[in-house]
Amino acid sequence: MLTYEEYLRRVPKVELHCHFEGTVRASTFADLARRHNVELPTEEVGKLYEYDTIYEFLKIFAMVSSTLIVREDFARAAYESLADGVELGNLRYREMFFNPTLHTRRGIPMATCIDGLIDGISDAEADFGVRCRLIADVYRQDDPAVARQMVEEVLEHRRPELIGLGMDGAEAPDPPEKFVEAYRLAGRNGLRLTSHACEDAPAQNIVTCLDQLGCERIDHGYHVLESPDVTARCRDEGIYFTCCPTSTAVVYGWPDLSAHPIKDMVGAGLRVMLNSDDPTMFHTDIGQEYMRLCTALGYGTDQVRKFVLAGVEAAWLDDGERAAMRSSFTAQLDALEAELDGDRPGTAPGPGTGPGPGTAPEPGAVSPPSGRGAA
Ligand code: HPA
Ligand code: ZN
């Protein structure tokens, strides 16, 4: 028999919103820093990933990036990142962001970065069967010309594993229209397009991403709910939202997951799938994201299945790959559901859909889940 939490950890998963640099194990960050003589703010590995705001977070994110120097560093960190996803959440497929300019501006050649990442993801596929594709992210605080040049360099070093362009960084000060040119160039050259939007900025940013940048998916998207028109449009057009419970709970002030906007997005009929964003930096993993959100919101197996299969539909796979993944995931979901014990949301008595003891994070908690340590 499976407990509901074990079931949530073990359902097969697609992840479409996960930043490579935010998946580096703290222990690897410390090790690489030592090797490359990068000074760290603390000697204590367990305290490396401590911050309160998106701006502090982004500083540490850049510091992690600064310890990735040679191709082997990128390969090692990418391999470990996928190994963790497989072990902790039965990750089967990921489209993973990376921020090229955080590396190239330090003099790391684009080829070192891309080739190293692909070494790591190829080894992980060979060892664990997990597949991974790459999305180069525009860093919003860069100049538009820097972003455009990044896209040019990505296209020069393009390999089949690199399939898309995305955008991250602090959203409020740098809205998406700044990067129309970079997106048009990427789109003309066949890269798929997505962008972080409405993390901490108005719903209009989604309209800009869809209409001016040509985005197919929206990463985060929570403030969409502030505009009934944009919400209706996204629902009608079947836009997929790649949502991240813990990271936004921590940084954007929805510490109680039972009140996270994901609940109302689902309620409004939007297509939502779940992701870990920056798992090591947020002391989470893709298994925890399902466990925390679904227990906090009392979601039963039907909604879990919807999240999982939305990931399959939203992935940038070809039709044959998607059909194969859909049927394999459906068979695995059926088998796991058959193993479940009776104690799960939707079967318990009483109106409460809140978390049972120990099933949800403490408000604002960023401490590592038990058993994971500071890895
Ligand atoms: N938002 C903005 N910038 C980021 C994120 C995010 O979710 N993750 C890494 N950089
Ligand atoms: Zn993100």
Side-chain angles (χ1 to χ4, degrees), residues 25 103-104 116 122 132 152 157 218 267 283 304 308 312 320 348 359 362:
R25 296 175 183 168
H103 308 296
T104 52
S122 304
C132 183
E152 280 169 8
H157 295 281
I218 295 295
H283 309 281
V304 173
V308 167
V312 177
T359 57
E362 296 297 317

Side-chain angles (χ1 to χ4, degrees), residues 206-243:
I206 290 184
V207 176
T208 308
C209 287
L210 297 178
D211 293 343
Q212 292 191 47
L213 304 191
C215 290
E216 304 166 63
R217 301 194 297 240
I218 295 295
D219 303 312
H220 293 304
Y222 315 111
H223 289 276
V224 68
L225 295 167
E226 287 159 16
S227 165
D229 288 351
V230 182
T231 302
R233 173 182 173 183
C234 290
R235 184 188 56 234
D236 295 348
E237 292 184 12
I239 302 295
Y240 284 96
F241 290 81
T242 70
C243 295

Side-chain angles (χ1 to χ4, degrees), residues 32-285:
L32 293 175
R34 217 171 9 250
R35 271 177 208 222
H36 297 307
N37 297 316
V38 175
E39 204 179 317
L40 294 180
T42 168
E43 295 279 297
E44 284 182 68
V45 170
K47 292 197 169 159
L48 282 170
Y49 292 152
E50 280 185 4
Y51 46 82
D52 291 317
T53 66
I54 181 76
Y55 300 97
E56 289 172 27
F57 165 84
L58 289 170
K59 267 195 208 157
I60 303 176
F61 192 83
M63 204 184 297
V64 174
S65 303
S66 74
T67 65
L68 297 157
I69 311 275
V70 294
R71 179 168 170 164
E72 290 71 23
D73 299 337
F74 289 88
R76 168 185 172 181
Y79 179 88
E80 291 175 350
S81 156
L82 290 163
D84 290 348
V86 171
E87 184 195 337
L88 300 167
N90 194 16
L91 180 70
R92 306 313 308 151
Y93 176 78
R94 179 189 282 168
E95 290 169 9
M96 183 162 73
F97 301 126
F98 69 109
N99 275 103
T101 62
L102 288 183
H103 308 296
T104 52
R105 80 158 59 108
R106 302 181 286 113
I108 309 297
M110 184 71 85
T112 298
C113 174
I114 294 178
D115 293 346
L117 289 170
I118 293 176
D119 290 345
I121 66 183
S122 304
D123 288 349
E125 179 166 352
D127 288 354
F128 311 117
V130 62
R131 293 173 60 211
C132 183
R133 295 292 172 262
L134 295 170
I135 301 174
D137 264 10
V138 168
Y139 190 66
R140 285 181 196 275
Q141 277 65 60
D142 284 344
D143 284 339
V146 170
R148 194 199 142 90
Q149 195 197 336
M150 179 277 278
V151 174
E152 280 169 8
E153 277 183 61
V154 160
L155 293 170
E156 276 167 34
H157 295 281
R158 192 155 174 199
R159 293 183 51 183
E161 290 84 352
L162 202 159
I163 59 171
L165 185 76
M167 170 155 54
D168 61 19
E171 181 182 6
D174 288 284
E177 53 270 28
K178 186 175 163 189
F179 298 105
V180 169
E181 224 194 310
Y183 269 76
R184 296 232 166 115
L185 177 64
R188 274 200 306 277
N189 285 279
L191 290 176
R192 309 294 295 263
L193 304 173
T194 187
S195 177
H196 285 48
C198 286
E199 214 175 347
D200 65 342
Q204 180 58 33
N205 276 6
I206 290 184
V207 176
T208 308
C209 287
L210 297 178
D211 293 343
Q212 292 191 47
L213 304 191
C215 290
E216 304 166 63
R217 301 194 297 240
I218 295 295
D219 303 312
H220 293 304
Y222 315 111
H223 289 276
V224 68
L225 295 167
E226 287 159 16
S227 165
D229 288 351
V230 182
T231 302
R233 173 182 173 183
C234 290
R235 184 188 56 234
D236 295 348
E237 292 184 12
I239 302 295
Y240 284 96
F241 290 81
T242 70
C243 295
C244 308
T246 299
S247 69
T248 42
V250 171
V251 181
Y252 291 111
W254 295 297
D256 174 4
L257 282 181
S258 67
H260 196 285
I262 289 174
K263 178 183 178 192
D264 290 334
M265 291 171 76
V266 169
L270 297 175
R271 297 183 183 189
V272 170
M273 46 84 62
L274 303 182
N275 306 270
S276 63
D277 209 357
D278 302 280
T280 54
M281 288 190 68
F282 283 102
H283 309 281
T284 187
D285 59 71

